[in-house]
Amino acid sequence: MKNDKTEVIDLKAINKEKKKRKSRQKKDHLGIWKYFIAIGGVAIVTILFFTVWFYNARGGLVEITLDDYLKYNKLEERTVVYIGSDDEISKEFTPVIQDLARIRGHQYYYLDITDIKEGERITKLQNVFVPTQNNLIVPMVLVIEKGQIVDTRSDKTQGNPSGMMAGYLNRETFIKFLKENHVY
């Protein structure tokens, strides 16, 4: 008798096992990538958060909503609010006020009224600080304190308050306005 030590090898089973192993390796590999993508996403969001926070802490324009603006009539501290839109004069003035705020380390609030179309909301916007104001001119800069536009004029019966400047503004005029209202 012959001593037969041969084995029957099932190639189908071996191939099936190889495919399972490769599939597991791919899943493990994708799991690692998902982990790195998640960590990278969290890192990017964290960096963006601190960048925005640092930028706002240094000064600059902080965009506010109309609802925020309507609440500013309750503020006690002297605050600068810039109202602008997508018109050419506002586009020209926005970098000026933004640059000056950053250089001086101040925060000025910016209300973009481009998308405000409703008549009732425009009327609210116009009458928050000056109840008799019939129109809204942009760009407009307001210095607000204790819920009112600052007014250092001796005769307050005619004209705009000293803490309100509307229309075309250049850098020198804006600096003079800030100095006159003690926010420079």
Side-chain angles (χ1 to χ4, degrees):
M1 211 167 113
K2 229 177 183 189
N3 193 358
D4 194 6
K5 294 191 176 181
T6 58
E7 255 182 71
V8 177
I9 299 175
D10 185 4
L11 291 177
K12 286 184 180 179
I14 291 175
N15 284 336
K16 202 175 194 181
E17 187 60 37
K18 281 183 181 179
K19 285 181 182 179
K20 283 183 182 176
R21 200 173 321 125
K22 282 185 180 180
S23 176
R24 273 189 301 233
Q25 287 174 343
K26 282 183 181 179
K27 284 181 183 176
D28 290 345
H29 189 66
L30 282 175
I32 291 172
W33 278 107
K34 287 179 184 176
Y35 174 77
F36 283 123
I37 290 171
I39 294 296
V42 168
I44 289 171
V45 167
T46 303
I47 290 169
L48 286 173
F49 171 78
F50 282 108
T51 302
V52 169
W53 176 79
F54 178 73
Y55 173 79
N56 286 339
R58 287 189 49 212
L61 284 179
V62 177
E63 195 159 343
I64 59 173
T65 65
L66 179 59
D67 292 330
D68 292 334
Y69 173 78
L70 295 173
K71 291 175 191 171
Y72 278 15
N73 62 356
K74 294 174 178 54
L75 288 180
E76 292 292 318
E77 63 200 42
R78 201 167 274 209
T79 306
V80 175
V81 177
Y82 165 52
I83 302 170
S85 70
D86 63 353
D87 68 292
E88 290 303 314
I89 297 172
S90 293
K91 285 179 183 177
E92 189 177 317
F93 181 63
T94 300
V96 171
I97 189 171
Q98 191 170 32
D99 185 49
L100 189 61
R102 263 192 253 130
I103 288 170
R104 301 286 303 159
H106 292 267
Q107 270 187 337
Y108 300 144
Y109 297 98
Y110 173 56
L111 174 62
D112 184 354
I113 62 166
T114 303
D115 296 328
I116 300 174
K117 305 285 186 224
E118 303 160 22
E120 184 179 309
R121 292 184 68 83
I122 291 288
T123 303
K124 277 185 183 177
L125 176 66
Q126 291 170 330
N127 295 326
V128 169
F129 298 107
V130 184
T132 59
Q133 186 175 338
N134 295 325
N135 55 13
L136 186 64
I137 300 169
V138 289
M140 181 184 290
V141 180
L142 305 173
V143 178
I144 302 165
E145 183 178 44
K146 297 180 183 170
Q148 296 182 351
I149 296 176
V150 172
D151 195 357
T152 57
R153 301 173 300 154
S154 56
D155 179 17
K156 298 177 185 186
T157 58
Q158 295 180 358
N160 289 334
S162 62
M164 175 180 173
M165 186 164 251
Y168 178 78
L169 300 167
N170 61 26
R171 187 179 185 92
E172 294 76 29
T173 306
F174 181 59
I175 290 172
K176 182 180 174 191
F177 169 77
L178 292 176
K179 285 180 180 179
E180 289 171 356
N181 289 288
H182 309 289
V183 286
Y184 183 70

